[in-house]
Amino acid sequence: MHDYLNTERLLPELQSAYRAFHSTETAVLKVMADILSALDRGDIAFLTLLDLSAAFDTVDHATLLKRMEISYGLKGTLLDWFRSYLGRKQSVQCNNARSLPTLVLFGVPQGSVLGPILFLLYTADLLRLVEQFHLYSHLYADDTQIYGFSPPSAASELQSRVSACVVEVSLWMRSNRLQLNPAKTEILWFSSSRRQFQIPQVPFHVGTAKDYDSHYCPVLRCPRSWYLPRLESQRDCTYFQDSVELLFCDEANS
């Protein structure tokens, strides 16, 4: 199946987990390269970092099988094999008492080879949803990065667009039995130091959820690189190490 998905280019291109030649490094490089290129043009950037709670355990088998049939063309014996693979049963034992086996309707095995691939197929539609808002996204397993750029004069419009996008993403996840983890949601503004005063100071609001305070990431321009100094809090470092330095060849970016 993996060969089929690769040959037909059905795996989401902007998903860096569980794929050959992809890693956390490629995910960070892609997002940061896009953001730093925007800053080089004089724009500012807005980045939202989303995380799911127990994502692999909440995958709906019926929805997954339907999606595999309609979106990925897996039918007949192959689809029946996956139905059998997912059709596990579980029971609970306490001392000498044991419950009757019950069919498991949700979740994919995380320690297996197929489990992570099935999760990627289950969440691939999320990328197309973000595109509808003219924003960019990148995934690493159940971690989602949504970001966009704008001139400083249109920063408020960008923030509103990202807010609306996150609302739709939250509704999509809820309809697919996935749940956002608000405790790990991060909001970051990126700009050059001389444009930081043009960043909106209003909190980021998502539907009826609580307001999120956005964090400012100062970005300094060095002779041959953009450099992000150590962030102020540990929460700001969710997807970044103590510092991130990306070198750009002046000739290639001129």
Side-chain angles (χ1 to χ4, degrees), residues 6-254:
N6 282 322
T7 301
E8 300 297 325
R9 302 178 65 86
L10 294 175
L11 288 174
E13 294 184 0
L14 297 177
Q15 169 64 263
S16 291
Y18 316 118
R19 300 178 59 199
F21 311 112
H22 292 72
S23 65
T24 53
E25 291 183 3
T26 59
V28 170
L29 285 172
K30 173 64 171 65
V31 175
M32 293 306 301
D34 288 347
I35 289 175
L36 297 179
S37 295
L39 299 186
D40 231 352
R41 298 192 302 267
D43 291 344
I44 60 175
F46 194 74
L47 172 65
T48 306
L49 307 171
L50 306 178
D51 184 77
L52 296 176
S53 299
F56 284 78
D57 297 329
T58 57
V59 172
D60 188 312
H61 293 174
T63 301
L64 172 61
L65 291 169
K66 195 68 174 179
R67 194 160 292 164
M68 292 174 68
E69 179 180 9
I70 296 175
S71 300
Y72 300 100
L74 303 179
K75 300 179 180 180
T77 303
L78 182 58
L79 190 63
D80 290 339
W81 186 89
F82 277 107
R83 185 176 288 107
S84 175
Y85 172 77
L86 294 171
R88 297 167 293 139
K89 293 185 178 182
Q90 67 180 16
S91 60
V92 178
Q93 182 171 340
C94 181
N95 296 326
N96 294 326
R98 186 171 184 173
S99 66
L100 294 174
T102 302
L103 185 65
V104 177
L105 302 177
F106 306 96
V108 292
Q110 295 189 51
S112 65
V113 175
L114 282 175
I117 298 298
L118 295 177
F119 181 79
L120 300 192
L121 301 182
Y122 189 76
T123 56
D125 288 345
L126 185 58
L127 295 168
R128 288 185 283 272
L129 174 61
V130 174
E131 289 177 356
Q132 296 176 10
F133 291 86
H134 305 289
L135 297 170
Y136 301 88
S137 61
H138 201 93
L139 307 179
Y140 188 88
D142 59 338
D143 295 327
T144 303
Q145 295 87 50
I146 300 174
Y147 57 102
F149 331 109
S150 74
S153 59
S156 296
E157 187 275 333
L158 172 63
Q159 180 171 338
S160 298
R161 186 152 37 97
V162 175
S163 178
C165 177
V166 174
V167 169
E168 289 301 317
V169 167
S170 179
L171 292 174
W172 181 91
M173 288 182 175
R174 190 179 307 169
S175 67
N176 286 274
R177 299 184 182 276
L178 301 173
Q179 183 177 3
L180 281 176
N181 185 350
K184 293 186 178 180
T185 295
E186 294 289 343
I187 310 296
L188 294 172
W189 279 106
F190 292 85
S191 79
S192 60
S193 57
R194 66 188 182 90
R195 295 188 182 277
Q196 62 178 294
F197 303 104
Q198 297 175 285
I199 291 176
Q201 301 301 312
V202 296
F204 183 82
H205 188 73
V206 180
T208 58
K210 70 170 186 177
D211 289 342
Y212 291 93
D213 292 327
S214 58
H215 303 284
Y216 168 60
C217 245
V219 181
L220 310 178
R221 189 66 167 100
C222 300
R224 291 175 60 84
S225 67
W226 281 98
Y227 177 72
L228 281 73
R230 186 180 181 89
L231 303 179
E232 291 297 324
S233 68
Q234 185 60 40
R235 292 186 65 199
D236 289 346
C237 303
T238 306
Y239 292 88
F240 307 105
Q241 298 178 356
D242 287 347
S243 62
V244 178
E245 185 173 21
L246 297 178
L247 297 180
F248 286 85
C249 175
D250 291 341
E251 292 78 15
N253 289 277
S254 60

